[in-house]
Amino acid sequence: MAAKSKRKKSRKQTRKAAPEKTFLGEEIIIWATLAVSILLLISNFGLGGRAGAFVSSVLADIFGWVSYIVPFVLFGSITFVLSNMGNAAAYVKTAFGLILTVLVCTFFELINEEGGLIGNMTAGLLVPAVGVVGTYVVVIICMIICVVVITGKSALKGVKTHGTKAYSRAREDAVRRQETAAVKRAKKEEAKASEITGRKRRERHVAGVSLDTTLSKKSPEIKELQPAEETQPSKEPDFTPNSRKATALHPNSSKP
């Protein structure tokens, strides 16, 4: 029993030690790759001495202008693969990244013949087959495909979403215009209807004066207006109170 327990313990310890060893090995590879990438980068800018100048010339002959991004591609690819060990998608993306590097070399070779040996070889295969314009088309389309595979984002999805938004906005505008036209149409119909009713009312109106104004059925609240009776003018008296006083004061004034 003691021997079995010791074997189990030793197996557990070996299982724990294996991941630690692999992790340490991966970390060492990553640090070494970082050092090499930095040396390549400074060599491209003429800061690496004689060895750096030699390495820079070799990279320029192989990759052309792409030699300036080769250190980044090297470090990124190795780090990505080591961080995703056993993941098939990571391997596929790394492969497409390398293909994208070759396509960029070919593109620079087509533009100004600065694609290095790789670009020269690839363009030498494509140009006789599909021509210069066809090579541009093939290279650009393949570059887009590589970017889509690496990033995992569709290039046409954005176009589709923008197209859907534009279509929905156009549809909303059309609906809004229809509603506005319907409201205006309803207002015009109401105006026409009111005008027609006004005309009918004016046609039914009877002009003139009626002589028969007596009320047939009188309600207690309504009274019939009667014309006021004419009053005869009163005759003025032949004399006024002041006339007596005048005759008394002048008795002879009335005599001829």
Side-chain angles (χ1 to χ4, degrees):
M1 296 293 291
K4 289 183 180 180
S5 61
K6 287 180 181 180
R7 288 176 184 175
K8 289 181 180 179
K9 288 180 181 179
S10 63
R11 287 177 183 175
K12 289 180 181 179
Q13 288 176 358
T14 52
R15 287 176 183 175
K16 290 180 181 179
E20 290 180 358
K21 287 181 180 180
T22 54
F23 178 75
L24 290 173
E26 291 174 0
E27 188 174 356
I28 291 169
I29 294 171
I30 290 171
W31 282 109
T33 306
L34 179 61
V36 172
S37 300
I38 293 172
L39 290 173
L40 292 175
L41 184 61
I42 63 177
S43 297
N44 288 329
F45 290 98
L47 301 175
R50 294 179 180 178
F54 175 75
V55 172
S56 177
S57 64
V58 171
L59 289 175
D61 292 337
I62 297 173
F63 297 99
W65 282 2
V66 184
S67 60
Y68 290 97
I69 64 171
V70 167
F72 299 99
V73 174
L74 177 64
F75 178 73
S77 300
I78 293 175
T79 305
F80 186 70
V81 170
L82 292 176
S83 300
N84 297 276
M85 290 293 292
N87 189 355
Y91 301 151
V92 172
K93 289 184 178 181
T94 304
F96 273 90
L98 298 176
I99 295 170
L100 179 62
T101 305
V102 174
L103 291 171
V104 173
C105 292
T106 309
F107 187 75
F108 284 139
E109 183 67 23
L110 292 172
I111 293 174
N112 53 10
E113 297 182 356
E114 290 292 341
L117 182 61
I118 295 174
N120 190 8
M121 290 175 62
T122 309
L125 293 173
L126 292 175
V127 171
V130 295
V132 177
V133 178
T135 304
Y136 272 108
V137 173
V138 171
V139 169
I140 292 172
I141 296 299
C142 291
M143 289 170 65
I144 293 172
I145 292 171
C146 291
V147 171
V148 169
V149 173
I150 293 169
T151 58
K153 294 182 180 180
S154 176
L156 300 176
K157 189 176 181 180
V159 177
K160 185 178 179 181
T161 52
H162 287 299
T164 305
K165 288 181 181 179
Y167 176 73
S168 61
R169 287 177 183 173
R171 204 161 104 193
E172 289 176 359
D173 292 338
V175 172
R176 198 180 298 112
R177 286 196 216 97
Q178 290 177 358
E179 291 178 354
T180 306
V183 171
K184 290 182 179 179
R185 200 179 300 113
K187 287 183 179 179
K188 287 182 181 179
E189 290 177 357
E190 289 178 0
K192 287 182 180 179
S194 62
E195 187 177 355
I196 291 169
T197 53
R199 285 180 184 177
K200 289 181 179 180
R201 288 176 183 175
R202 285 194 295 271
E203 289 175 357
R204 290 175 184 175
H205 178 70
V206 180
V209 178
S210 177
L211 297 176
D212 188 6
T213 59
T214 57
L215 298 175
S216 60
K217 293 181 180 181
K218 296 181 180 180
S219 63
E221 296 179 356
I222 300 174
K223 294 180 180 181
E224 184 177 358
L225 296 175
Q226 298 291 339
E229 295 181 358
E230 295 182 357
T231 57
Q232 295 180 357
S234 60
K235 295 181 179 180
E236 294 182 357
D238 294 337
F239 63 91
T240 58
N242 294 329
S243 62
R244 291 180 180 179
K245 292 180 181 181
T247 52
L249 292 174
H250 303 283
N252 298 324
S253 61
S254 60
K255 294 179 182 183

